[in-house]
Amino acid sequence: MRDKNRNTVLRKLLLSFFMFEALLWGSFSGVVIDKTTSKPVANATINDSYISVKSDENGTFAIHSAEDKIFVKAYGYRPYTLSKETNSTVLALEPITVKALYLSFWRASNNSPRLKEILEIIEKTEINSIVVDVKSEYGSTSYKTSFEKANVYGAHNDRTNRDIEQFMKLMKSKNIYTIARIVTFKDELQASNNPEYAIKKSDGTLWRNHDEMAWVDPFDKRAHEYTVSIAEDAARVGFDEINFDYIRFPAKDGLSFSKESTQESRVEAISEFLKLAQNRLRKYGVFISVDTYGNICWEDYDMGIGQMIEPLSKYADYIAPMLYPSGFAKGSFGLENPSEHPHAVIYRSLKNIEDQIESKRLRPWLQSFKDYAHRKIEYNYFEINEQIRAAADTNTSGWMLWSPSSRYELSYFRAKERDVLTLDSIRENSEYID
């Protein structure tokens, strides 16, 4: 009887607490639907800076929040921001299959001829997204962020964009989905200014990789805070998505870290970074994506770099394996030269992980550069579109095309009004010889 009375008192206290919470905070309920089909969107995330709820199978949700804005995210849709003053309780999300071109650090100027070329491609073709370097491998930022620590190191000295607000305004006016690429642990500038948490050689001296770039220790929380602060600024200026690259340990043996480097500790370190990023970026309503080695699709261990599909997917919205056919060794997939079989490489790799992650959470990086490893073939219309076809055949959320020079051919992409891309049309417009 005493336990029963105690439980009754506890229930009353909890009820009183939640009633007080509802009065203190605002309450908002609604339904999330697909803007195109008007069908409900289940499992959408609705959140403010602290609270997250999910829409049910009917798209309905309820959230208590004292904040002015609420953010709505669902895989395969553009992010949605809701003002608490909005009267509508029906939230229509715009579906998007991301088809992105990469714009490099040195071409991120508002007046860059390469940017103008990309904007023309977006205007006339299926391309609807752009990946922009915000933080480079060296540690430079393409615009001056509000993160003073990086500015003290001179991260903004070589910036290529002097007016990021103008840039973002232009992107929004054209309804372009914007992705901020942020290099994570490879950071010469941060490491050289903070040698106490830079990766060392076994003799205790600073280690640099083959291109003379130092890295910061992924175990060290100071390295986490640094990069997340830059990511937070990119979210603040209006990017739709934050893409973390080099979010891994170096693929190098014999290095010295602040902790013992085991598979468990490495995977945990990467997860801790992403957990921090998720918590800090949630108040901006942005998506988070992570770039991975292409081989992650084929291995059941972390390859010594801390990357595994399932742990990454716990905190990241999208996984972006770098499935460049030239990056796979001879004999991979039973193919003598994988670069000659672009569809097979992409298709088989993505199918191989479909039991680990939903296909709509995959968005591979595709190759738009000359094969450097095998037959030295150029990647032209056929090779690029075979990769695109493979991404579509596996029902991914889209793809991102990597050209180091950010040079792309308008004629390689479907015109906006075309709905179907056949293999015959690919062959007719390519120089490929079977």
Side-chain angles (χ1 to χ4, degrees), residues 101 114-127 368 379-381 384-385 388 399 401 406-418 421 429:
L101 303 181
R114 203 57 50 80
L115 173 60
K116 292 178 181 177
E117 292 172 4
I118 288 176
L119 290 178
E120 181 184 5
I121 292 173
I122 290 173
E123 183 71 26
K124 296 180 178 180
T125 74
E126 63 188 319
I127 304 302
S368 182
Y379 258 53
N380 294 320
Y381 188 101
I384 289 172
N385 277 282
I388 291 173
W399 43 267
L401 195 58
S406 300
R407 187 180 297 278
Y408 308 94
E409 293 291 335
L410 185 151
S411 61
Y412 287 1
F413 308 109
R414 293 188 301 176
K416 285 189 183 297
E417 63 271 18
R418 291 176 61 188
L421 182 64
N429 287 279

Side-chain angles (χ1 to χ4, degrees), residues 248-303:
R248 61 177 175 84
F249 286 72
K252 173 76 174 177
D253 295 328
L255 300 178
S256 178
F257 303 94
S258 59
K259 292 183 180 180
E260 182 183 2
S261 180
T262 65
Q263 174 167 299
E264 183 180 1
S265 66
R266 290 188 297 265
V267 169
E268 182 181 4
I270 302 303
S271 295
E272 285 298 314
F273 171 84
L274 283 172
K275 184 178 180 181
L276 175 67
Q278 185 187 66
N279 288 336
R280 292 265 292 277
L281 294 173
R282 59 185 295 137
K283 63 183 177 184
Y284 301 100
V286 295
F287 285 103
I288 295 174
S289 60
V290 295
D291 297 340
T292 73
Y293 271 7
N295 280 326
I296 196 176
C297 298
W298 294 96
E299 303 294 348
D300 58 3
Y301 73 110
D302 80 326
M303 299 184 296

Side-chain angles (χ1 to χ4, degrees), residues 29-281:
S29 60
V31 58
V32 184
I33 66 169
D34 183 300
K35 186 176 181 179
T36 302
T37 65
S38 295
K39 292 182 179 179
V41 177
N43 209 38
T45 299
I46 301 91
N47 70 271
D48 63 9
S49 300
Y50 302 99
I51 304 169
S52 286
V53 299
K54 295 283 189 178
S55 61
D56 63 18
E57 61 182 6
N58 299 312
T60 60
F61 70 91
I63 185 171
H64 301 290
S65 174
E67 299 181 12
D68 293 331
K69 291 182 178 179
I70 289 175
F71 305 99
V72 186
K73 296 191 304 179
Y75 306 131
Y77 294 88
R78 292 178 183 267
Y80 186 102
T81 301
L82 172 71
S83 170
K84 291 288 289 295
E85 298 176 354
T86 303
N87 293 324
S88 175
T89 57
V90 178
L91 316 183
L93 304 189
E94 182 182 349
I96 182 172
T97 300
V98 168
K99 301 174 182 181
L101 303 181
Y102 164 67
L103 181 66
S104 72
F105 179 90
W106 297 109
R107 295 167 177 84
S109 164
N110 289 331
N111 299 315
S112 164
R114 203 57 50 80
L115 173 60
K116 292 178 181 177
E117 292 172 4
I118 288 176
L119 290 178
E120 181 184 5
I121 292 173
I122 290 173
E123 183 71 26
K124 296 180 178 180
T125 74
E126 63 188 319
I127 304 302
N128 55 20
S129 311
I130 189 167
V131 183
V132 184
D133 272 344
V134 167
K135 177 175 176 282
S136 71
E137 289 86 343
Y138 183 78
S140 296
T141 55
S142 56
Y143 68 93
K144 187 176 182 179
T145 71
S146 60
F147 183 45
E148 284 305 316
K149 189 171 185 178
N151 295 336
V152 168
Y153 300 156
H156 65 293
N157 288 351
D158 294 326
R159 64 189 182 278
T160 50
N161 193 302
R162 300 277 169 168
D163 192 341
I164 190 63
E165 287 76 18
Q166 177 188 340
F167 178 86
M168 297 308 302
K169 184 177 180 180
L170 176 63
M171 297 299 108
K172 300 300 182 186
S173 72
K174 296 180 178 293
N175 201 31
I176 297 171
Y177 186 87
T178 51
I179 305 170
R181 175 178 175 260
I182 295 179
V183 174
T184 308
F185 297 118
K186 183 179 182 181
D187 190 328
E188 166 67 25
L189 198 59
Q190 184 188 173
S192 59
N193 279 279
N194 298 277
E196 68 276 11
Y197 67 89
I199 296 176
K200 311 287 198 313
K201 292 187 282 188
S202 57
D203 63 5
T205 59
L206 197 66
W207 171 77
R208 288 184 169 87
N209 67 351
H210 62 89
D211 56 1
E212 293 302 311
M213 296 284 188
W215 291 49
V216 290
D217 186 346
F219 287 122
D220 199 294
K221 296 298 176 65
R222 289 170 292 184
H224 296 193
E225 288 283 343
Y226 186 96
T227 296
V228 169
S229 294
I230 293 175
E232 191 171 356
D233 191 85
R236 179 188 62 80
V237 300
F239 280 93
D240 296 303
E241 179 176 318
I242 304 300
N243 171 254
F244 291 111
D245 200 358
Y246 287 90
I247 180 170
R248 61 177 175 84
F249 286 72
K252 173 76 174 177
D253 295 328
L255 300 178
S256 178
F257 303 94
S258 59
K259 292 183 180 180
E260 182 183 2
S261 180
T262 65
Q263 174 167 299
E264 183 180 1
S265 66
R266 290 188 297 265
V267 169
E268 182 181 4
I270 302 303
S271 295
E272 285 298 314
F273 171 84
L274 283 172
K275 184 178 180 181
L276 175 67
Q278 185 187 66
N279 288 336
R280 292 265 292 277
L281 294 173

